[in-house]
Amino acid sequence: MILLLITILLFTVYAILILYYYFCWKKIPVYSPGIRQPTTKISVIIAARNEEKNIGHLLQSLQQQSYPASLFEVIVVDDHSSDNTVSIVQQFQHVRLLQLKEDGLHAYKKKAIETGIRNATGELIVTTDADCFAPSQWLSQLAAFKEATGAVFIAAPVAMEYNHSLLQRFQSIDFLTLQGITGVAVHRHLYPMCNGANLAYERTVFFEVDGFAGIDDIASGDDMLLLQKIWRKYPDRIHYLKSPGAVISTQPATTVQLFFQQRIRWASKATRYKNNLIFLVLLLVYLFNCCFPVLLVAGFFDPFYWIVFLGGWVAKTIIELPFVYSVSVFFKKTSLLKKFFLLQPLHFFYTVVAGLLGQTASYEWKGRLTK
């Protein structure tokens, strides 16, 4: 009965949290810029390593931006690519190519971004990933929002593409949930959360907080750990841009192995968060998901726990569905929810495994084994 009581307690707290996210997400206003003459000079920084399959698609989208060409530059920093990434970048006019010279680093991506920022001329740094695609209004939306709010850091929305495979659909649903939580966390000033595929921050503020100094001993964290540093200095000048025109599209992991490597990498920075609230939320989510494999095993000793497992599966789906649906409406991905219930067990087990391995195991990122 102790296991049952623990499960009920964790579910109750988890349900309250998800309902809070749902109501807060609904209250975030959708930003629509008015007609104004842009003035902000932007530097788009892209760290790229072996991205020959993706980089051209991104750079094409950046050449089709509605933002005045005189007000933005694109800087690609190549991180020791061994494929045709460099030659593809060189085919694009008005794109500056820098090449990372340093080796033997803990955080290559951070060093690449820092190199780009040091060579940038824009006052607003915008970062995205080489496997992304930007809508034509992207930079216009970011600049208008920055000028309207005075934000020193903008967390903006990211959508994960998918095909008909179960793995990609699962990733996209999971990513939708994370994006909704990101919006609420930043808009309500709860805790620092963002995704490096769609960020904007003032160049002067980056140097004011000493950039990646103090967080460059870990490969991941060029987004949330940097935001954490800026959050401590400017807690009221960090904003979330909820706008369809600002949504960046990114690619999912193509194999189960790559998916787990990605999520282990994300989990690896959890112990570096200085905000107690985000730590408690992560702990709650982890413990709640741990209940499901425990219940499944306990069912072999008492079949009653299999009933509890099934009931928890149904209850979790019911409590999460309004929130996930409202986020999917914004991202225009409601068709994903057809398999939401059936994909729940994958979420239970990946959360437990990735959370554990994120603190104990090495992971591979861009062909490098990292701890």
Side-chain angles (χ1 to χ4, degrees):
M1 291 302 293
I2 294 178
L3 176 57
L4 177 61
L5 292 174
I6 292 174
T7 302
I8 293 173
L9 175 61
L10 288 172
F11 174 78
T12 301
V13 180
Y14 181 79
I16 293 171
L17 177 66
I18 296 300
L19 288 173
Y20 176 79
Y21 285 151
Y22 168 67
F23 288 114
C24 289
W25 170 262
K26 298 283 284 185
K27 291 181 179 179
I28 301 175
V30 176
Y31 177 71
S32 179
I35 299 175
R36 56 194 303 162
Q37 186 67 30
T39 59
T40 302
K41 178 66 183 293
I42 294 174
S43 293
V44 182
I45 310 294
I46 306 157
R49 174 175 168 82
N50 294 335
E51 292 286 357
E52 64 179 6
K53 295 180 180 179
N54 302 308
I55 190 72
H57 191 49
L58 170 63
L59 294 179
Q60 279 187 330
S61 72
L62 293 179
Q63 290 194 337
Q64 296 168 358
Q65 291 295 299
S66 62
Y67 203 62
S70 60
L71 285 179
F72 79 94
E73 63 179 351
V74 178
I75 301 174
V76 176
V77 186
D78 177 64
D79 175 13
H80 304 90
S81 292
S82 58
D83 63 0
N84 293 320
T85 297
V86 170
S87 62
I88 292 173
V89 173
Q90 290 172 334
Q91 295 173 17
F92 287 83
Q93 294 182 342
H94 311 300
V95 175
R96 294 171 61 191
L97 174 66
L98 305 175
Q99 292 184 281
L100 197 62
K101 303 299 183 183
E102 294 86 349
D103 211 342
L105 304 173
H106 289 292
Y108 284 91
K109 186 179 180 183
K110 292 192 186 85
K111 188 63 178 180
I113 293 173
E114 180 187 345
T115 299
I117 293 174
R118 290 191 180 279
N119 287 273
T121 60
E123 61 190 272
L124 184 67
I125 300 298
V126 174
T127 68
T128 190
D129 294 333
D131 63 348
C132 291
F133 181 84
S136 61
Q137 294 293 316
W138 181 47
L139 294 180
S140 296
Q141 295 268 335
L142 287 169
F145 188 71
K146 189 258 185 301
E147 293 166 8
T149 62
V152 300
F153 191 108
I154 300 169
V158 184
M160 184 170 285
E161 297 302 316
Y162 63 95
N163 56 24
H164 295 294
S165 76
L166 194 64
L167 175 63
Q168 292 202 11
R169 294 178 74 87
F170 171 73
Q171 288 179 76
S172 193
I173 292 175
D174 187 56
F175 200 78
L176 275 178
T177 307
L178 291 174
Q179 283 296 299
I181 295 170
T182 296
V184 173
V186 176
H187 181 71
R188 300 291 296 179
H189 299 285
L190 299 175
Y191 46 79
M193 194 168 177
C194 60
N195 187 287
N198 200 358
L199 296 181
Y201 44 86
E202 291 185 359
R203 184 175 184 271
T204 55
V205 170
F206 177 82
F207 291 114
E208 192 177 337
V209 299
D210 294 324
F212 298 117
I215 56 174
D216 55 0
D217 59 330
I218 180 173
S220 189
D222 56 278
D223 43 19
M224 286 180 64
L225 296 183
L226 174 63
L227 172 55
Q228 181 174 258
K229 295 180 71 174
I230 297 175
W231 188 287
R232 289 198 293 266
K233 193 169 185 66
Y234 295 102
D236 298 325
R237 296 183 64 188
I238 295 167
H239 297 279
Y240 180 75
L241 171 55
K242 186 181 181 182
S243 169
V247 177
I248 282 283
S249 299
T250 190
Q251 297 300 312
T254 53
T255 67
V256 173
Q257 181 182 6
L258 289 174
F259 167 70
F260 269 98
Q261 292 292 322
Q262 179 191 66
R263 298 313 167 95
I264 290 169
R265 172 167 56 88
W266 290 0
S268 69
K269 56 192 174 186
T271 57
R272 304 297 294 270
Y273 301 143
K274 305 298 183 182
N275 185 288
N276 291 331
L277 182 57
I278 190 172
F279 178 78
L280 290 174
V281 169
L282 290 173
L283 182 61
L284 167 66
V285 173
Y286 185 77
L287 291 177
F288 175 60
N289 280 280
C290 281
C291 288
F292 289 93
V294 172
L295 287 169
L296 200 59
V297 173
F300 288 100
F301 301 93
D302 185 347
F304 168 74
Y305 288 109
W306 285 339
I307 299 174
V308 178
F309 174 88
L310 182 59
W313 179 355
V314 173
K316 183 176 184 290
T317 303
I318 292 172
I319 200 67
E320 290 177 349
L321 191 56
F323 173 53
V324 179
Y325 177 77
S326 64
V327 178
S328 70
V329 168
F330 170 76
F331 284 100
K332 299 178 181 178
K333 294 185 180 295
T334 53
S335 62
L336 280 170
L337 301 187
K338 295 176 182 177
K339 291 186 171 63
F340 184 60
F341 175 73
L342 296 177
L343 290 173
Q344 284 282 0
L346 295 180
H347 189 263
F348 307 154
F349 295 106
Y350 114 74
T351 300
V352 173
V353 173
L356 178 62
L357 294 181
Q359 307 307 315
T360 60
S362 299
Y363 56 87
E364 186 175 328
W365 189 23
K366 300 292 184 180
R368 297 183 177 113
L369 190 63
T370 308
K371 181 64 178 78

